[in-house]
Structures are given as structure tokens and as C-alpha cells.
Amino acid sequence: MVLINMGMKLINFKMYYKDDREWADKLNPLIKKIIKENLGNKLKKTIEIRDATEKEEKEEATDMVITADGKDFRMAVRTRRTYESRDFGDITIRSSRTSGAITELKKIKEGKVSYYFYCWGKNGIENLEWLIVDIKKMNYWALFLERKEIPNKDDATFFISVPILDIKHYGCVVASNLLN
């Protein structure tokens, strides 16, 4: 267990990670189904999906590898818990850590992933809201630049927020159940 004293706040990072990971892993079969149906239709190809290796996950911000006609596409997958009283109009990406470790944003800016599946678990799996984003288009339109870093609840990581309306305006949404 890793407990870090952040002023008056003790943070148990392993518990946060374990709880979040277990919750996200429950969504994996549904996420793969959504990706196959929607990205496959968009690419007009049959796709296969495999989970990323530990190396791909750590070094390339890749959670799944999509194969279409023998070509691999890397996809980052992020799940975000929501509650009835909160409605998010953005996607968030970890941008820095006080430890100096490389974050998803740097890997995404370097073009290591092609697509981003972002979802919100509203009241559990049955009400999942999601979108698939074309990361190459977001990089082209510089949608990651000039964003204010926001501290996370752990005070050890920071993230940026990109409004969904900006992502939609620049044609970066591949598919979604939010914007129909």
C-alpha cells in the first residue's frame, strides 16, 4: 500500500487504482462491442480487437490494438465515473505528474495512438455514454495546446480538459452516442 501525506490529506493510490481498474475492467466487453460496431462501420472493414501488452500500455498510452485488413491502429481507452448530479461536457487527459513520469498527453501528442475511446459510466454499465475520437485530427487541429492544467484530487497529477463541442466542431468525433 502506498500512502502519501499531502498536507492534511492521506492518499492511498493503490486503492484508487484497484477500485477504478476493477470498475473499468467490467466495461471492457461492452467497450469492445461498441468499438467493433462503430469503428468497423466507419472504416468499412471488419476489425479485430486485442488488449494491449503491458509494454504497449505503459510506453504508448495504448489500451487496445485494432486490426483492420492487416493494419494495426492503437486506441487509448478511458472510463470516467459520473454521478446523477454531474454532467461532463469534456474529455480529460492526464498532462503531468509531480513525479515527472511521462503522461498520456505526451504520448498522444507524439502520435502513438490513432483513436481514443472515452466513456462515462452513468449509473453503471447500462447507461454508458461514449465517444470515439480521431487523435490524429485532434493533433492536426492542435486541440491539446494552450490548455490550462487542472490538479487532480490526489494533488500529484494534473490533467487538461478538452470540450466535446470543440472536438465535434473540428470533425474529430468518429462515433458517439452523445451527439446524435
Side-chain angles (χ1 to χ4, degrees), residues 31 34-35 38-39 60-64 66 73-80 90-95 103-109 112-120 129-139 144 159-162 167 172-176:
I31 289 170
I34 292 168
I35 292 168
N38 291 277
L39 190 57
E60 300 173 11
T62 299
D63 296 291
M64 295 179 186
I66 288 86
F73 300 92
R74 306 245 180 277
M75 178 170 281
V77 176
R78 298 297 173 262
T79 57
R80 191 167 168 187
D90 64 352
I91 67 169
T92 58
I93 301 170
R94 188 175 301 121
S95 55
T103 63
E104 290 84 356
L105 183 60
K106 180 171 178 18
K107 297 169 195 173
I108 286 170
K109 283 181 174 180
K112 300 207 181 216
V113 293
S114 300
Y115 298 101
Y116 204 121
F117 181 91
Y118 203 97
C119 68
W120 298 263
E129 296 178 340
W130 56 269
L131 71 151
I132 300 172
V133 176
D134 185 323
I135 292 297
K136 291 180 184 201
K137 283 186 180 179
M138 287 187 73
N139 275 326
F144 300 117
F159 61 91
I160 62 164
S161 167
V162 182
I167 297 167
C172 303
V173 176
V174 174
S176 173

Side-chain angles (χ1 to χ4, degrees), residues 43-94:
L43 296 174
K44 296 182 172 71
K45 298 176 186 207
T46 302
I47 64 172
E48 295 300 319
I49 302 173
R50 72 167 171 82
D51 293 328
T53 64
E54 186 176 335
K55 182 179 183 203
E56 289 169 326
E57 188 174 346
K58 287 181 179 177
E59 295 178 10
E60 300 173 11
T62 299
D63 296 291
M64 295 179 186
V65 178
I66 288 86
T67 303
D69 287 345
K71 184 175 179 183
D72 287 346
F73 300 92
R74 306 245 180 277
M75 178 170 281
V77 176
R78 298 297 173 262
T79 57
R80 191 167 168 187
R81 294 181 198 239
T82 61
Y83 306 93
E84 286 185 58
S85 62
R86 296 185 72 177
D87 182 28
F88 298 102
D90 64 352
I91 67 169
T92 58
I93 301 170
R94 188 175 301 121

Side-chain angles (χ1 to χ4, degrees), residues 1-13 154 156:
M1 179 185 323
V2 177
L3 289 174
I4 296 179
N5 188 350
M6 307 290 288
M8 296 295 289
K9 194 184 334 182
L10 285 176
I11 305 287
N12 181 343
F13 288 106
D154 62 14

